[in-house]
Amino acid sequence: MESLNYLLPLVWFAILALFLFMYVMLDGFDLGVGILSLTSSSEERRSVLMTSLSNVWDANATWLILMGGSLFGSFPLAYSTILNALYIPIMIMILGLVVRTVSFEFRENSRRKLFWNWAFGVGSFVATLGQGFALAGVIEGIHVDASGHFIGSTWDWFNWRSVVVALTLIQGYVLIGSCYLIMKTTGSLQETHYKTAKIAAITTLIGAIAITTVTPIFSIFARNRLFDKPFIYVFSAIPILGVILVILLLRSLAKKREVTPFIYTILIFLLTFVGLALVVFPYIIPPSVTIFDAAASPSSLVFMLTFIGFLIPIMLFYNVYNYFVFRGKITGN
């Protein structure tokens, strides 16, 4: 029984990490395309961007719902505490997602598309901004009492560092959105997104360097973890690998590759994700509450695991099948 108390929270931490990564990767380019739609110079170009999402975006967003439900069931203490601490950024994210969803559907049948075009782009931007602030709030740490309940201020998540994190996440989503559009478009529209991808790669790198430099200075928790052995060797390698991947990405963009920029961008996201997971682990509410403190009862975790064990392969198959069926270029026609 004691080994189950140790093993089950680890398994659920890995499952939540998978859900979060799938969401960031898939809905990341989705939101990035939405933000890029704000810069489209014509209705025809904007229609191509929207059409590239029309058959995949519902499946992309499903991972967020799955992650929220799983967090509630597997780590209920973390769910309630994080929701209390990050209520405003989470509400900003939900508001943005609702606006973009409604505007996407209404735009399809509207004769006057201008309002819904802007609503979709602004909704995508606002949703990403909320996610960035929430991410920064977790990195900064959440103040809790001895029982793990939130005791901080409503605005703990908001400072200049959280603004940098949010802006960097926006740039990251624009980068992966641009790389997705390179694969889905042709001609002058594809050329435009080679340029937006290059700009976003550089601005994302600048933001990542700023966050990597500033976080250990202001966060004792992050500083202790980054400079502890043997983590210091891993955390020394991650920035080097990140810069190498950005260089490879820029070279592939310069050579007008269509698929490899998207692959390099996913690898950059994965590397960043692994780095963040190593900084946080084993805490689920940094820097006080571990996954073992916040886990639900073993019987609940086993029951949920049985359900999720069937659902994960179905979800992965559905995503792969979806992209296979709707593969290929999008044109104005």
Side-chain angles (χ1 to χ4, degrees):
M1 191 66 179
E2 194 173 330
S3 59
L4 271 182
N5 288 337
Y6 181 78
L7 181 63
L8 287 171
L10 288 176
V11 170
W12 272 101
F13 185 77
I15 290 172
L16 288 174
L18 172 69
F19 290 166
L20 184 59
F21 179 71
M22 291 300 292
Y23 173 74
V24 169
M25 182 177 67
L26 296 177
D27 215 34
F29 78 71
D30 206 322
L31 290 163
V33 171
I35 296 168
L36 284 164
S37 72
L38 291 169
T39 65
S40 291
S41 57
S42 68
E43 190 57 40
E44 184 186 356
R45 284 188 162 211
R46 190 174 289 105
S47 292
V48 173
L49 267 59
M50 305 286 266
T51 305
S52 74
L53 299 178
S54 58
N55 297 308
V56 296
W57 80 318
D58 286 333
N60 295 346
T62 308
W63 293 98
L64 180 64
I65 298 166
L66 202 56
M67 193 189 69
S70 299
L71 181 65
F72 174 73
S74 57
F75 300 104
L77 177 62
Y79 181 87
S80 62
T81 301
I82 292 172
L83 203 63
N84 275 329
L86 303 175
Y87 183 78
I88 293 176
I90 289 172
M91 285 298 108
I92 291 172
M93 178 187 74
I94 292 173
L95 176 67
L97 292 175
V98 169
V99 169
R100 80 191 292 264
T101 303
V102 170
S103 57
F104 190 93
E105 302 296 341
F106 275 66
R107 177 192 175 278
E108 192 70 22
N109 299 306
S110 174
R111 291 182 180 177
R112 298 177 180 177
K113 298 184 186 298
L114 183 62
F115 174 78
W116 300 115
N117 288 339
W118 278 97
F120 182 73
V122 171
S124 302
F125 182 88
V126 169
T128 309
L129 197 67
Q131 290 181 16
F133 282 134
L135 174 64
V138 173
I139 294 173
E140 286 274 330
I142 294 171
H143 301 294
V144 297
D145 60 18
S147 56
H149 296 114
F150 179 59
I151 55 170
S153 157
T154 309
W155 295 94
D156 278 356
W157 54 273
F158 187 72
N159 53 50
W160 65 269
R161 297 182 297 282
S162 66
V163 173
V164 173
V165 172
L167 293 177
T168 304
L169 186 65
I170 289 168
Q171 292 305 308
Y173 282 179
V174 168
L175 170 62
I176 197 168
S178 298
C179 293
Y180 174 73
L181 289 173
I182 288 170
M183 292 192 301
K184 301 297 286 184
T185 59
T186 56
S188 62
L189 187 54
Q190 188 185 49
E191 285 298 321
T192 298
H193 293 297
Y194 275 117
K195 292 175 186 171
T196 57
K198 284 179 190 172
I199 295 169
I202 294 167
T203 51
T204 304
L205 178 63
I206 293 170
I209 291 171
I211 295 166
T212 307
T213 307
V214 164
T215 301
I217 296 172
F218 287 91
S219 170
I220 298 171
F221 168 72
R223 184 165 64 240
N224 291 339
R225 176 53 63 96
L226 290 171
F227 294 106
D228 266 1
K229 288 183 179 177
F231 292 105
I232 189 170
Y233 303 115
V234 178
F235 290 124
S236 301
I238 287 176
I240 297 169
L241 288 172
V243 171
I244 292 171
L245 284 172
V246 171
I247 292 170
L248 291 172
L249 169 63
L250 290 171
R251 285 182 60 185
S252 67
L253 290 170
K255 291 180 179 177
K256 306 289 185 188
R257 307 289 189 205
E258 291 198 340
V259 179
T260 47
F262 191 72
I263 294 172
Y264 285 133
T265 307
I266 289 175
L267 291 176
I268 290 168
F269 270 74
L270 180 61
L271 189 68
T272 308
F273 197 79
V274 169
L276 284 173
L278 288 175
V279 169
V280 171
F281 183 81
Y283 296 94
I284 197 161
I285 309 174
S288 309
V289 181
T290 68
I291 55 173
F292 309 106
D293 300 326
S297 67
S299 58
S300 299
L301 294 178
V302 169
F303 176 76
M304 288 176 56
L305 202 57
T306 309
F307 171 72
I308 287 292
F310 285 104
L311 191 60
I312 290 176
I314 294 172
M315 289 283 295
L316 290 172
F317 174 78
Y318 174 58
N319 271 125
V320 171
Y321 182 73
N322 202 24
Y323 283 96
F324 178 76
V325 169
F326 295 106
R327 66 191 184 279
K329 300 283 187 182
I330 307 292
T331 66
N333 298 322

